[in-house]
Amino acid sequence: MLPGILTDMTSSAGMAHIGVVGLAVMGSNIARNFARNGHTVAVYNRSYDKTERLVADHGNEGTFVPAATIEEFVASLQRPRRALIMVQAGAATDAVIEQLADAMEEGDIIIDGGNALYTDTMRREAAMRARGLHFVGAGISGGEEGALHGPSIMPGGPAESYEHIGPLLESVAAVVDNTPCCTHIGPNGAGHFVKMVHNGIEYADMQVIGEAYHLLRYAAGLDCAEIAETFRKWNTGDLNSYLVEITAEVLAQVDAATGKPLVDVIVDQAGQKGTGRWTVKAALDLGIPVTGIGEAVFARALSSSVAQREQTAGTLPSGKLASPIDPADRETFVEAVRRALYASKLVAYSQGFDEIRAGSDEYDWNIDPRDLATIWRGGCIIRADFLNRITEAYTANPDLRCLLLDPYFLNEMEGLVDAWRHIVVTATELGLPVPVFASSLSYYDALRAERLPAALIQGQRDYFGAHTYRRVDREGSFHTLWSGDRSEVEA
Ligand code: NBP
C-alpha cells in the first residue's frame, strides 16, 4: 500500500511547487515553462554549470530555486515533493531515482518525464511503492518547442498521485479547444506505453509522407518547390497535421552553400533512438500486427544499411519498368497519392490503437482511447485534425474493435481505396519502394478477407509437427495421420 500524500503545506520543507532534475534541452525548457506559468521551480543538474546557465539566461522568466546538490534540491520542495526527472533514459534515470528516493520522504512523488521503456517504469514504480514513494512515468511529446510552449503529456502511475501533479502538469501542457493535452492514462507503465506507441505512429506517419514525396518526385516528376506547395495544400484538408506542415517547410528549404534543395544535400540515412523499435517489439509480444510502424522502422534500418546499399544500389536487376507519369495525368496522380497517404495513415493509427488496447488489457491499465486522441491533438509531433474523428469514433462506440469500422472511417475508406490500390500498383511497376503504402493495403485486404491462407498453414503445421487443426464444420481438434493412411483422428 502506498502511504497517503501529505497535503499539509505547513509541514513544507521548502517553497518550490515542483522541481526539475536534468537541465539539458527538454528539462531546461520544461522548467522554464513551469516558471512562466507562475510556479516556483527548483532546478538541479548533475553538472552545475547547466543550472547556472539556465538561471542566468532565463531567471527573469519566473522563480527558479537553483540547487547544487540533490539534497538541497529535495529540501527546497514543498510537500508532497514533486520532482520531474528529465535525464537520459536508462541507467541515468535509475541513478537519479535512487538519489531522489534516498533524500525524499514517504508520500513524495517522483515523475519520470524521459522516454523510458514501459517495463522499466513498471519495475521502478513497484520499487518506489515498496519504499513508500509515488512514481509516475509520464510520456512527454513535442520536443524542445513543445517542452517550452506546451507539450502533450501522458502521465501514468497511481491515480492518487495525479490529483497532486495533474493541475501542475495541465497548466504547462498544450491546450486545444480549452482542453489541456494532459490526462491520467492509467497505472504504472501506462503513460510510457502510450508514449511509446505515439512515437511508433510518428514513425509510420513520417514514412508515409516520405513515400508520397518520393512518388511525387520520381514518378510524377515534380520538383521540391512544387512538392512543398502540394503538401501546403494538403495541409488545409484531411491531412492537416504538424508533420505535413513541417514537410512543406523542409522541402521548400534551399541549401545556402549549393543553391540546391536542402533535402538533396542531406544524407539519406534515417536515424532512430529506439521507441519505434520498442513499439514493434511490444506488438510482437502482444500478437498485434503493427505493419505500418514495423515497415517504417525497417525502412529507416534499410536506409542506414550503408555497406549493403553500396553494393546493391544500381546492381540488383529491376526488370522492365513502366514509364513515369505523363504530365497530362499529373494532377490525377497527385490526388491519388494524397489518398494513398491518407489511407495508409489511417491504417497505421488503427494499428497503434489496437496495440494500446492490447497493452491495456494485458496489464489491466483500463486506458480510454478517447483520452489519447484528445491529448494528442496538440503539443505532440503527431498532432492532427483528424484525431477529433478518432475521439468521436470511440465516443460513439467505446468497444470499437477496429477503428476502420467506425462509420466515418468506413466512408473515408470507400473514397480512398481505389486510388490507394492504383498507387501501390503504379509504384511497383515503376520500381519505387512504398513499404508502408503496400503493406498497409495488404493488411487492409487481409482484414476484409472471408478466408485467409492460414488454413493451409495449419495444415502444414499439422503435417510436420502434429500441431492439430480445428475444422469449420465440427468442434474439437484434429490431426491427419500424414505418414500413415492419412485418415483423420480427433486429437
Ligand atoms: P539527454 O537525453 O541528452 O540527457 C542529458 C541529461 O541527462 C543531462 O542533464 C545530463 O546531465 C543528464 N545525465 C546523464 Br546523460 N547521466 C546522468 C546521471 N548518471 N546522473 C544525473 N544526470 C545524468 O537530454 P534531453 O534531450 O533533454 O532529454 C531528456 C529526456 O527527455 C530523455 O529521456 C529523452 O529521451 C526525453 N525526450 C526527449 C525529447 C527530445 O526531443 N529531445 C522529446 C521527448 C522526450 P549532465 O549535464 O551532467 O551531463
Side-chain angles (χ1 to χ4, degrees), residues 18-361:
I18 188 159
V20 179
V21 183
L23 303 174
V25 181
M26 290 295 285
S28 58
N29 278 319
I30 207 148
R32 289 173 60 197
N33 189 347
F34 279 119
R36 287 169 169 203
N37 279 286
H39 306 294
T40 300
V41 194
V43 283
Y44 169 77
N45 193 71
R46 179 179 58 176
S47 334
Y48 191 56
D49 60 316
K50 279 200 182 78
T51 314
E52 287 180 313
R53 206 174 323 138
L54 171 66
V55 176
D57 293 349
H58 304 288
N60 60 347
E61 294 176 6
T63 311
F64 295 97
V65 184
T69 65
I70 204 104
E71 291 76 17
E72 214 180 279
F73 169 82
V74 168
S76 70
L77 294 166
Q78 278 185 356
R79 295 206 69 195
R81 299 186 179 90
R82 289 164 285 214
L84 172 63
I85 302 176
M86 293 303 297
V87 303
Q88 200 175 61
T93 306
D94 278 317
V96 173
I97 290 170
E98 276 308 306
Q99 291 163 12
L100 283 172
D102 286 347
M104 283 178 147
E105 293 175 85
E106 280 196 357
D108 287 346
I109 307 168
I110 298 175
I111 309 157
D112 174 19
N115 270 339
L117 181 59
Y118 70 99
T119 45
D120 284 344
T121 302
M122 294 171 82
R123 167 179 59 78
R124 288 165 181 155
E125 200 272 332
M128 290 303 110
R129 177 181 285 266
R131 294 176 68 165
L133 296 168
H134 292 242
F135 186 81
V136 172
I140 300 183
S141 175
E144 186 177 350
E145 278 294 296
L148 183 60
H149 299 294
S152 173
I153 310 179
M154 298 150 245
E160 191 195 353
S161 323
Y162 193 77
E163 287 170 29
H164 294 270
I165 58 168
L168 263 168
L169 297 180
E170 288 175 19
S171 73
V172 297
V175 175
V176 176
D177 296 340
N178 296 318
T179 307
C181 295
C182 172
T183 194
H184 182 237
I185 303 296
N188 54 65
H192 275 137
F193 186 87
V194 301
K195 169 62 169 41
M196 174 189 77
V197 177
H198 162 284
N199 283 25
I201 292 173
E202 179 184 311
Y203 273 59
D205 212 339
M206 292 169 75
Q207 176 67 23
V208 288
I209 290 172
E211 291 176 19
Y213 151 74
H214 206 64
L215 288 172
L216 297 183
R217 184 110 191 242
Y218 300 105
L222 301 186
D223 65 27
C224 285
E226 290 169 326
I227 303 173
E229 200 41 50
T230 304
F231 275 102
R232 233 171 251 134
K233 212 164 85 198
W234 288 356
N235 199 37
T236 61
D238 296 322
L239 291 176
N240 177 270
S241 63
Y242 172 70
L243 283 170
V244 167
E245 178 191 328
I246 67 164
T247 300
E249 295 292 322
V250 173
L251 286 170
Q253 184 74 13
V254 173
D255 175 46
T258 60
K260 294 180 180 170
L262 178 69
V263 75
D264 285 353
V265 296
I266 296 179
V267 174
D268 64 342
Q269 295 161 19
Q272 46 183 321
K273 284 196 172 165
T275 44
R277 243 186 333 248
W278 290 349
T279 311
V280 179
K281 281 185 184 172
L284 288 173
D285 288 340
L286 291 166
I288 300 296
V290 289
T291 55
I293 300 169
E295 288 294 348
V297 172
F298 287 137
R300 289 197 193 187
L302 189 154
S303 76
S304 299
S305 302
V306 182
Q308 190 182 50
R309 284 182 68 198
E310 271 168 11
Q311 294 185 22
T312 54
T315 305
L316 294 177
S318 66
K320 190 171 174 319
L321 298 177
S323 307
I325 306 305
D326 190 301
D329 300 328
R330 249 186 210 163
E331 207 175 310
T332 316
F333 182 79
V334 170
E335 173 55 17
V337 170
R338 188 192 70 82
R339 291 181 193 209
L341 193 173
Y342 186 27
S344 306
K345 176 172 163 151
L346 291 181
V347 166
Y349 277 72
S350 176
Q351 293 178 336
F353 275 84
D354 284 350
E355 179 167 357
I356 288 170
R357 190 190 53 238
S360 180
D361 290 348

Side-chain angles (χ1 to χ4, degrees), residues 366-431:
N366 208 14
I367 296 173
D368 186 336
R370 287 171 302 182
D371 286 345
L372 307 181
T374 303
I375 66 171
W376 290 348
R377 288 181 308 163
C380 67
I381 305 297
I382 63 171
R383 58 184 183 262
D385 269 2
F386 98 114
L387 287 163
N388 281 322
R389 305 286 91 75
I390 297 184
T391 308
E392 286 161 14
Y394 283 114
T395 302
N397 180 2
D399 297 323
L400 196 60
R401 293 310 294 179
C402 173
L403 193 55
L404 303 173
L405 286 174
D406 170 73
Y408 177 84
F409 292 114
L410 270 181
N411 188 50
E412 290 291 274
M413 277 302 185
E414 188 78 49
L416 301 174
V417 71
D418 288 341
W420 189 17
R421 262 185 223 295
H422 168 68
I423 288 299
V424 170
V425 169
T426 307
T428 307
E429 286 175 347
L430 285 163

